[in-house]
Amino acid sequence: MRAGEVSEVSQDYLKAIWSAQEWGGDPMTATELANRFGTTKANVTEVLKRLDELDLITRVPYRPPVLTERGRTIALSMVRRHRLIETFLVESLGYGWDEVHDEAEILEHAASDRLIDRIDAFLGHPTSDPHGDPIPGADGHVDSHTPTLLTEAAAGPYTVLRVSDADPQTLGKLAEAGVLPGAALEVVDCSDDEVSVSIDGKRETIAAALAAAVYLRTAVSAS
């Protein structure tokens, strides 16, 4: 079964269920899905029943839904579409990284697999989107990472791996501070309220609420 063979609502649910755990989060419950899509728990239950009947998820009473292999394939197809479209909008159409999420949410449903593959080739087969999220391959392979949250990082050198795109305002503020995927920074000090970092020799103080969106990998020293 391909992404285009299920409804847009089903595509959105499968993508949300997969994405919730990509960076170490907890599985999405029916209540969280209702909040995510602005609907009722009863409506969520009906959608999950349909997905279960299509063998796209496994439902267990009082537990979060689990993707089947078929469901995971469709979820990753939608994630691939979303992230390639975001990358195309930034690199080819001049969008800011804080402007592309909502556009991609719309366009991902309209794009065919052929168009997405053409965009992928046109961009030179990028491995990550503007926020640092890995782009799944056409074969469904997606890179995995074991990141460190900026709010939990010990003092020392790091590279910014990913910045969550959940809030456009957060993206804008972090961009102003130079906290972008690929940027080298040194964590100077962490507290419950803020994190002090050095970027290109400039000291920046980042509020904990903003720092919670930043994922790091330990810098590798040149040998």
Side-chain angles (χ1 to χ4, degrees), residues 41-115:
K41 191 173 177 181
N43 284 340
V44 169
T45 299
E46 289 303 311
V47 174
L48 295 180
K49 284 180 180 178
R50 290 199 299 271
L51 295 178
D52 188 34
E53 290 167 357
L54 292 170
D55 190 31
L56 298 175
I57 65 166
T58 300
R59 293 179 68 230
V60 177
Y62 309 111
R63 298 187 66 180
V66 176
L67 295 176
T68 63
E69 191 58 37
R70 296 173 74 186
R72 184 176 186 275
T73 296
I74 294 176
L76 285 170
S77 173
M78 298 309 299
V79 170
R80 171 176 165 80
R81 292 183 184 195
H82 184 96
R83 294 177 182 175
L84 279 169
I85 290 169
E86 285 191 333
T87 306
F88 178 73
L89 292 175
V90 169
E91 295 190 6
S92 300
L93 298 184
Y95 277 70
W97 75 330
D98 56 343
E99 299 176 307
V100 294
H101 178 76
D102 289 345
E103 294 278 19
E105 287 284 291
I106 298 169
L107 295 172
E108 68 190 36
H109 296 297
S112 66
D113 290 338
R114 181 182 183 186
L115 175 59

Side-chain angles (χ1 to χ4, degrees), residues 110-166:
S112 66
D113 290 338
R114 181 182 183 186
L115 175 59
I116 292 300
D117 288 342
R118 291 288 183 92
I119 290 174
D120 186 26
F122 176 79
L123 294 173
H125 306 290
T127 57
S128 60
D129 73 8
H131 312 105
D133 287 307
I135 297 173
D139 61 357
H141 172 77
V142 59
D143 291 336
S144 60
H145 302 282
T146 306
T148 300
L149 277 171
L150 178 53
T151 51
E152 300 172 357
Y158 296 87
T159 301
V160 178
L161 179 62
R162 179 243 185 182
V163 179
S164 170
D165 63 353

